[in-house]
């Protein structure tokens, strides 16, 4: 009986001294799962912003033949064609496709070059080989003449008809200049008069 009384008195003290379960003792909280082969991939790189169709005219002619289209390079210094070549006879006027301000007008590697920063955008267009008729800082409207096509040989080569190389850049990134033109400028075929309510077509009484 005496031993039983002693054990009964000691049990509360032993219970208080016993270690707490792990969950009560501040067990570490599990972290996010780790992917096999390394950490989880980060967010995808931002996509290039779309090009607004602010063009109001072709650089030369009405719908000039495209001698060579835009061929984006796989790398910054890789091969490709950073613009489009438009057929145009020497001396043809070269026009700004959209309103903007001339940021360069001069010669680069023996070729005449005109570059126009397009108003309200972060884009600029380039035209070469062109004999400039504008100067740096000039404001130009859409369709304004910025120069004339120089003779063949400076870009398209002696075996090809004279042309204008038309480029488009955002910063140092080349883009497709045809993306500046709205669908009505890209469509082939002659313009067609549409009837207007109350106004007869030519030749009709």
């Amino acid at each position: 009986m005496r031993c039983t009384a002693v054990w009964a008195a000691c049990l509360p003290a032993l219970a208080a001294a016993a270690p707490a379960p792990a969950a009560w003792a501040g067990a570490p909280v599990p972290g996010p799962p780790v992917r096999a082969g390394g950490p989880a991939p980060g967010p995808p790189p931002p996509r290039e912003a779309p090009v607004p169709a602010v063009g109001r005219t072709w650089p030369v002619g009405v719908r000039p033949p495209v001698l060579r289209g835009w061929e984006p390079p796989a790398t910054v210094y890789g091969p490709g064609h950073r613009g489009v070549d438009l057929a145009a006879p020497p001396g043809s006027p070269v026009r700004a496709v959209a309103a903007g301000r001339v940021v360069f007008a001069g010669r680069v590697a023996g070729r005449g070059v005109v570059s126009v920063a397009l108003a309200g955008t972060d884009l600029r267009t380039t035209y070469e080989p062109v004999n400039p008729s504008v100067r740096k800082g000039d404001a130009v409207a859409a369709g304004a003449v910025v120069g004339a096509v120089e003779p063949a040989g400076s870009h398209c080569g002696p075996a090809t008809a004279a042309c204008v190389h038309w480029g488009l850049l955002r910063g140092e990134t080349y883009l497709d200049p045809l993306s500046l033109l709205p669908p009505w400028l890209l469509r082939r075929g002659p313009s067609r008069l549409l009837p207007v309510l109350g106004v007869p077509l030519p030749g009709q009484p």
Side-chain angles (χ1 to χ4, degrees), residues 43-75:
R47 297 180 60 183
E48 188 69 40
V51 174
V54 296
R56 292 297 175 262
T57 184
W58 285 86
V60 288
V62 177
R63 179 61 172 84
V66 177
L67 301 179
R68 185 179 178 185
W70 184 61
E71 302 165 10
T75 62

Side-chain angles (χ1 to χ4, degrees), residues 62 184 187-194:
V62 177
W184 61 270
R187 282 195 293 266
R188 296 179 181 271
S191 300
R192 182 166 57 92
L193 290 176
L194 298 177

Side-chain angles (χ1 to χ4, degrees), residues 51-59 66 68-72 81-86 97-98 118 123-127 164-170 173-182 185-186:
V51 174
V54 296
R56 292 297 175 262
T57 184
W58 285 86
V66 177
R68 185 179 178 185
W70 184 61
E71 302 165 10
H81 192 233
R82 296 163 172 81
V84 296
D85 291 344
L86 306 176
V97 299
L118 304 185
L123 304 169
R124 67 185 188 277
T125 56
T126 59
Y127 313 93
V164 167
H165 178 81
W166 175 29
L168 174 66
L169 296 99
R170 173 180 282 129
T173 301
Y174 286 87
L175 304 170
D176 182 4
L178 292 178
S179 59
L180 282 172
L181 300 182
L185 270 176
L186 290 171

Side-chain angles (χ1 to χ4, degrees), residues 65-149:
V66 177
L67 301 179
R68 185 179 178 185
W70 184 61
E71 302 165 10
T75 62
V76 175
Y77 301 106
H81 192 233
R82 296 163 172 81
V84 296
D85 291 344
L86 306 176
S92 300
V94 178
R95 304 178 185 278
V97 299
R101 188 169 297 277
V102 178
V103 293
F104 181 83
R107 306 198 72 79
V108 177
R111 297 190 297 270
V113 179
V114 173
S115 181
V116 177
L118 304 185
T121 75
D122 57 353
L123 304 169
R124 67 185 188 277
T125 56
T126 59
Y127 313 93
E128 61 174 287
V130 174
N131 183 20
S133 59
V134 291
R135 294 183 297 179
K136 181 179 179 180
D138 287 350
V140 293
V145 174
V146 297
V149 179

